[in-house]
Amino acid sequence: DNDKLAPVRALRGIMGAVNSAHNIYLLERGLKTFGIRMQRQNENGQAVATFLDGHSRVERAYYPGLESHPYYDVARQTMRGFGGLVTFLVKDADWRETGKNVDSVKIPRIAPSLGGVESLIEQPLVMSYFECTPDERRQFGIPDNMIRMSCGIEDKEDLIADLQQALDA
């Protein structure tokens, strides 16, 4: 059978196609503050990326709001903000040393997600690519010293101070 939507149709039959009233209430409530939350995440992402870009323990920071990003010009022309997701490489660190940096932060929770009100941090090697070989990770562009942080709405100075103490530890 070539029907690629069959699993979706089967799931819809089990789950239903209509959201519950409570889900809709939560969605409507969340939309009221969506603009403010996005503004704060954009500000935090930019501040954290700028801090990391200038830190001596950071090999490279990836963020579309940094002029060093390969798609900076495109992002500037097409985006109103650059988001809260910041990726960076810890200079001269193996996977264990990188993990110690992740474990040393106090504010972000360790989790692989983005877009929430709380900041999250993770090491892609451990969280999402642990079953891949080193060669596969290299093909995917996932070095052992990579950290991803999704900035939430906390105070940006607190986030920066937390990253500072973790990188300096």
Side-chain angles (χ1 to χ4, degrees):
D1 189 279
N2 285 337
D3 186 9
K4 293 182 180 183
L5 289 177
V8 175
R9 288 190 186 97
L11 184 62
R12 189 180 64 188
I14 295 167
M15 303 290 291
V18 179
N19 258 311
S20 71
H22 186 66
N23 284 353
I24 298 302
Y25 161 75
L26 292 172
L27 177 64
E28 184 180 41
R29 185 179 72 172
L31 284 173
K32 291 175 184 175
T33 60
F34 182 71
I36 295 167
R37 288 183 284 127
M38 284 305 305
Q39 180 182 353
R40 184 65 173 257
Q41 287 174 327
N42 288 334
E43 291 170 5
N44 285 353
Q46 184 70 53
V48 165
T50 301
F51 161 74
L52 291 168
D53 194 45
H55 196 283
S56 63
R57 290 273 298 129
V58 174
E59 177 183 322
R60 175 132 193 229
Y62 297 91
Y63 184 75
L66 295 175
E67 289 186 29
S68 60
H69 194 279
Y71 296 109
Y72 171 74
D73 289 329
V74 172
R76 218 181 50 181
Q77 293 170 15
T78 60
M79 301 170 78
R80 284 184 270 166
F82 303 108
L85 183 62
V86 181
T87 302
F88 63 101
L89 307 178
V90 182
K91 189 181 289 181
D92 300 324
D94 64 14
W95 71 272
R96 284 186 177 94
E97 293 163 331
T98 302
K100 286 179 186 174
N101 283 279
V102 171
D103 292 339
S104 295
V105 294
K106 308 284 188 248
I107 297 172
R109 297 175 184 179
I110 298 173
S113 187
L114 53 103
V117 294
E118 56 278 316
S119 292
L120 303 174
I121 195 165
E122 59 113 2
Q123 185 178 4
L125 161 72
V126 175
M127 216 39 109
S128 307
Y129 294 88
F130 64 93
E131 292 181 353
C132 297
T133 66
D135 284 338
E136 289 172 328
R137 287 194 306 273
R138 271 191 288 284
Q139 287 177 337
F140 300 143
I142 308 295
D144 293 356
N145 63 335
M146 177 182 278
I147 295 175
R148 285 198 176 130
M149 180 171 171
S150 175
C151 297
I153 63 170
E154 301 92 349
D155 182 84
K156 65 184 167 213
E157 297 304 323
D158 290 344
L159 293 173
I160 290 169
D162 192 20
L163 287 166
Q164 177 81 50
Q165 66 80 25
L167 288 166
D168 291 348

